[in-house]
Amino acid sequence: ADTVRVMGQFVMQSTASHSGKLTAGTLEIGGNLTQAGANSYNFCTSGSHTVILNGTEKQTVSINNTRKDYSRFNNLKITNTSADGVDFPRTSYVVGNLYNTETKITNGANLVLTGTFADNAWNYDIWLNENRTLSEDLEIGGTLYLNGGTLNLNGHTLTVKGNVYLSNAYLNVNKGKMYADRNFNMSYTNGSGGSGYLTMTNAEDYICVNGDLYVASYYNYSSLTNGTIEVKGNFTQKHTSYPNNFVPSGNHKVILSGEGLQTVSFDRTESRFNILEIQNYSDEGVVFKTTVTICELIDNGCNISFANGERSGWTLEADETIEGDVNLARGTLDLNGHKLTITGNLIHSGGTVLVNGGELKVQGDYRVQALNGTSYTNSTGVLNMTNEADTVRVMGQFVMQSTASH
């Protein structure tokens, strides 16, 4: 029943530790809350202790010695009725229950929750950096920052009305669903890399991104073997450390389903789509701004424009001559016992050239490389010659820069 009501400001600047002394009861504050002083534990609340911010004018919370184990909130309720609400200009930890509020919150990204969402919802930005397994569906009204630990959806639905930043944490979809109303960024907030890992290993795993998907993780993703990522905006892969930081496999699928122009850009061909399905039926369709490795493409008759004149493989039914350059990017070019003459260069950025008893004649260069702007980079292409009759004639240079073992 311990209750302290402060109509004005509450300032804690004691040199005494309050660890073990603020373990229960309610502290109501109508003005600003300031924690300072030489003792980092002078506002270390715990147990069932609850702070209620119930001012009628703007309140500012400033905890100077903030860390999970230092000064912090245990349970936090915000019932401020002013138009300006509550401002958190500095990082503030909540280790117990965080109650949802209709009060305006400024700088919500400075709130770090290591405890629980009391109402399975929070209307503003929030920062999570501890292991957390959902037992109910969760809705975040602002931006979600994942910067530590593992967030396990555990068969439940996570809805985020703002952006999602998977910066330095693990996100395990685990038979659940995540809906991001804006962008999903596998990076730090400035886009300069990150150490986030995304795990999708179940057919039920589903992520829907209404905005852009941006991949810039330092490390490679080894746990994208099933499930679906649906993207309605642009898809961008950036090379920050490992070139293969997005390498889905197995049955994993990405769906591009925007209602207007969507662009796809990959820095490196070592990263790839496993199954890519296009469900964008707009006139603008999908534009690939760079060479992209795609294991299986389902186009559904949608409008698709590939970079550098890329094309998919096909099977010859008779001898063919192609004027100019050819850029083979995916699928299998099966000569099927016939002769293919290319009067220009053959850029073999991906897919397989299966000579299959036929003859390939390239009057220019044959480059098993990917064209990235005006320079060449690694290809994922494969040249398959396993028959005595297989013949490849190159009048110009032959360059092998494939990541595939031959």
Side-chain angles (χ1 to χ4, degrees):
D2 292 357
T3 303
V4 175
R5 292 187 174 94
V6 183
M7 308 303 289
Q9 298 186 57
F10 177 84
V11 180
M12 172 60 78
Q13 196 173 351
S14 174
T15 59
S17 170
H18 282 66
S19 179
K21 297 180 176 66
L22 299 173
T23 62
T26 302
L27 171 60
E28 298 181 13
I29 303 172
N32 297 333
L33 186 160
T34 303
Q35 179 276 329
N39 196 305
S40 299
Y41 301 90
N42 61 14
F43 194 68
C44 183
T45 63
S46 60
S48 61
H49 189 276
T50 300
V51 172
I52 300 177
L53 302 176
N54 59 1
T56 56
E57 297 181 354
K58 179 180 178 180
Q59 292 179 269
T60 299
V61 175
S62 182
I63 299 179
N64 290 277
N65 301 117
T66 186
R67 210 171 72 178
K68 176 186 174 182
D69 299 323
Y70 287 177
S71 290
R72 69 205 186 179
F73 293 106
N74 184 53
N75 299 329
L76 178 61
K77 293 183 178 180
I78 302 174
T79 60
N80 181 294
T81 57
S82 72
D84 293 326
V86 179
D87 183 16
F88 292 88
R90 301 175 68 93
T91 300
S92 298
Y93 279 80
V94 181
V95 299
N97 291 317
L98 176 63
Y99 293 85
N100 200 16
T101 181
E102 297 300 322
T103 299
K104 178 182 177 182
I105 301 296
T106 304
N107 292 314
N110 286 328
L111 273 175
V112 182
L113 179 64
T114 64
T116 59
F117 293 96
D119 305 304
N120 293 309
W122 176 249
N123 290 337
Y124 300 96
D125 298 348
I126 195 71
W127 191 291
L128 303 180
N129 66 356
E130 296 270 321
N131 291 334
R132 185 180 306 274
T133 298
L134 297 189
S135 58
E136 301 285 346
D137 293 348
L138 174 64
E139 182 171 314
I140 304 297
T143 291
L144 175 61
Y145 300 89
L146 298 174
N147 200 45
T150 297
L151 176 58
N152 185 343
L153 301 191
N154 191 35
H156 296 286
T157 298
L158 170 64
T159 302
V160 182
K161 298 298 185 180
N163 299 309
V164 176
Y165 285 94
L166 182 58
S167 300
N168 191 31
Y170 290 78
L171 174 59
N172 185 0
V173 181
N174 191 18
K175 300 184 180 180
K177 297 179 174 63
M178 184 183 82
Y179 295 90
D181 278 6
R182 296 182 66 187
N183 303 323
F184 181 22
N185 304 280
M186 301 181 197
S187 68
Y188 294 122
T189 54
N190 62 6
S192 64
S195 301
Y197 285 84
L198 176 63
T199 299
M200 301 179 71
T201 58
N202 303 285
E204 303 94 326
D205 294 354
Y206 177 72
I207 292 176
C208 181
V209 183
N210 282 327
D212 300 336
L213 196 156
Y214 181 82
V215 180
S217 175
Y218 293 135
Y219 306 111
N220 60 331
Y221 286 78
S222 58
S223 300
L224 296 176
T225 60
N226 218 325
T228 301
I229 299 176
E230 183 170 358
V231 182
K232 298 182 180 295
N234 301 326
F235 193 112
T236 302
Q237 180 269 336
K238 287 291 185 181
H239 173 217
T240 53
S241 180
Y242 282 63
N244 57 336
N245 60 4
F246 189 80
V247 188
S249 59
N251 295 311
H252 189 273
K253 177 188 286 189
V254 172
I255 297 174
L256 299 179
S257 60
E259 296 180 356
L261 173 65
Q262 288 181 273
T263 63
V264 178
S265 176
F266 275 56
D267 274 358
R268 299 297 291 261
T269 56
E270 291 91 340
S271 288
R272 72 188 186 202
F273 293 114
N274 182 47
I275 302 170
L276 176 63
E277 182 169 355
I278 310 298
Q279 294 181 7
N280 182 323
Y281 297 97
S282 69
D283 291 338
E284 299 91 343
V286 176
V287 173
F288 289 80
K289 299 172 70 175
T290 63
T291 295
V292 177
T293 303
I294 305 171
C295 298
E296 179 182 346
L297 175 64
I298 304 171
D299 62 23
N300 290 311
C302 296
N303 186 10
I304 305 172
S305 175
F306 292 106
N308 307 313
E310 290 178 357
R311 62 185 297 177
S312 300
W314 71 100
T315 299
L316 272 67
E317 300 298 337
D319 293 350
E320 291 186 27
T321 297
I322 298 178
E323 300 291 337
D325 298 338
V326 172
N327 191 333
L328 178 68
R330 66 196 59 84
T332 299
L333 171 55
D334 185 353
L335 301 191
N336 192 30
H338 299 287
K339 181 178 181 179
L340 173 63
T341 301
I342 298 173
T343 64
N345 301 317
L346 172 58
I347 309 301
H348 187 177
S349 58
T352 299
V353 172
L354 180 62
V355 182
N356 193 16
E359 179 182 341
L360 171 64
K361 183 178 181 180
V362 181
Q363 294 181 356
D365 298 339
Y366 181 4
R367 295 179 175 271
V368 190
Q369 296 176 296
L371 184 60
N372 188 359
T374 58
S375 60
Y376 291 96
T377 185
N378 290 342
S379 161
T380 58
V382 174
L383 174 60
N384 190 314
M385 302 177 66
T386 57
N387 301 291
E388 289 295 332
D390 292 353
T391 302
V392 175
R393 293 188 171 92
V394 182
M395 311 302 290
Q397 298 184 61
F398 176 81
V399 181
M400 171 61 77
Q401 195 177 342
S402 176
T403 60
S405 169
H406 283 69

